Every structure is written in C-alpha cells, then in structure tokens.
Amino acid sequence: VRKDEISECAGYAKNIVSLGTAGFIMQLTNSLVTICCNNVLSVTGGDIYISVMTIVSSVRQLVETPIYAMNEGGSPILSYNYGARKLDRVREAYLKAAISATIISTVSFICFQLFPRQIIGIFGSESEAYFRFAEKFFRIFLFCTFINGLQPITANFFTAIGKANRGIFLSLTRQVI
C-alpha cells in the first residue's frame, strides 16, 4: 500500500470495522461475563460453582453455535438483496432466520427447564447435592434462553443492511446493558 492509497482506503476500512464491531462486541461481552462470573464464583462458592458455570457456558454455547452459523450464512444474503433493493427477499431471509433461531432457542429453553439433570449429567456424575445446586443454577442462568435466538439475528440484520450502530446497540443490550 502506497502512502497516497491510505487516505483513499480509510473510508473502506472504517466501514469494514463498523460492520465487524457488533459481532466483536457479542464475543467480547461473552468473554467478559465469563471472566467476571468465574471471579465472583471462585470467591463465593469455589470449585463447585465454577464447574457448574462451565457446564452452563458449554451448554449455552452449543445452543448459540447454530444461531451464529445462521448469522454468518445469512449476512451475505441480506446484504446482497438489500443492495439490490429486493426488500421482499430481505424480509423473507430475516423472518426465516428469526423463526429458526426462535425455535432453536425455545426448544432449548424447554429442555433446560424440564431436563436439567440429564443435561448436566452428560458432563459427569457428581453427588446428589451437586446435582440439586447445579439444577437450580442451570434453570436460573438459562431462563431467558428463549429470547436469545432473536437478539443476535436482529443485530446481524441491522449490520448486514449497513446500519451497524443499531446492530452494535443490540449486541450491547444482550449482556452489557
């Protein structure tokens, strides 16, 4: 890159960075919440609390992975059709992703509430006291899972159509605000 090209590329770089900011914030806040939770849990409950939080985080990540995959796969479709002024296709793609993510997160929520012991048991067998504590924590921490599908899909929608500020705001509302 020559010096005279840098000023020409600055606008493109700014757009690229702004479009990636929403996803970056979602991942950053996930990491920060995990770090903060682990610090608090190590002081208040020790290894048992941290192990339960690790299970919860792993299970949550299993549910979020297909939703993030839909985001990554849907983003170019949304962007292309929005740029081509095919708003009916943008609406259709968003609705299909939103419905799919909502179904995934709602089914997950129901499973988390009805079968926490079985899900926790996948990660190992502990004492009865451990399971009682883990079930309660599991149900509480994953209570809002049913809305967690729609939020990243909507944040991605705004980012894909070039309204990165709205996508960033939605990303912040998920865990920061």
Side-chain angles (χ1 to χ4, degrees):
V1 178
R2 295 186 320 263
K3 287 183 182 180
D4 61 327
E5 292 177 328
I6 292 175
S7 62
E8 293 174 22
C9 297
Y12 294 120
K14 181 182 173 196
N15 287 338
I16 291 168
V17 169
S18 71
L19 292 176
T21 302
F24 171 75
I25 288 173
M26 280 210 266
Q27 294 302 320
L28 178 67
T29 55
N30 275 340
S31 298
L32 291 175
V33 166
T34 301
I35 290 167
C36 292
C37 282
N38 282 343
N39 284 332
V40 170
L41 293 173
S42 69
V43 171
T44 58
D47 292 343
I48 292 174
Y49 283 36
I50 292 174
S51 69
V52 171
M53 183 61 182
T54 302
I55 292 170
V56 169
S57 295
S58 298
V59 170
R60 188 188 67 203
Q61 192 172 20
L62 285 171
V63 172
E64 290 175 349
T65 298
I67 294 169
Y68 289 139
M70 280 190 286
N71 268 344
E72 295 300 318
S75 187
I77 295 167
L78 292 168
S79 296
Y80 174 80
N81 286 300
Y82 184 76
R85 304 282 185 244
K86 296 179 180 179
L87 301 182
D88 57 323
R89 295 177 100 187
V90 172
R91 190 176 299 111
E92 179 185 2
Y94 169 74
L95 286 174
K96 284 182 178 180
I99 290 168
S100 299
T102 301
I103 290 169
I104 290 168
S105 58
T106 301
V107 168
S108 299
F109 166 77
I110 291 168
C111 290
F112 296 159
Q113 297 305 311
L114 295 178
F115 310 111
R117 180 176 289 257
Q118 291 81 357
I119 295 169
I120 294 164
I122 292 169
F123 294 89
S125 58
E126 298 287 335
S127 67
E128 184 61 30
Y130 177 84
F131 272 115
R132 278 196 308 274
F133 169 73
E135 283 181 67
K136 182 179 176 182
F137 187 77
F138 197 79
R139 284 187 171 126
I140 292 169
F141 197 84
L142 297 172
F143 184 74
C144 290
T145 302
F146 63 94
I147 61 171
N148 280 349
L150 189 59
Q151 191 278 337
I153 295 291
T154 304
N156 180 62
F157 166 77
F158 284 118
T159 302
I161 64 169
K163 299 185 186 321
N165 288 341
R166 292 179 186 175
I168 292 168
F169 175 75
L170 284 172
S171 296
L172 286 171
T173 60
R174 183 160 179 248
Q175 291 183 343
V176 175
I177 298 173

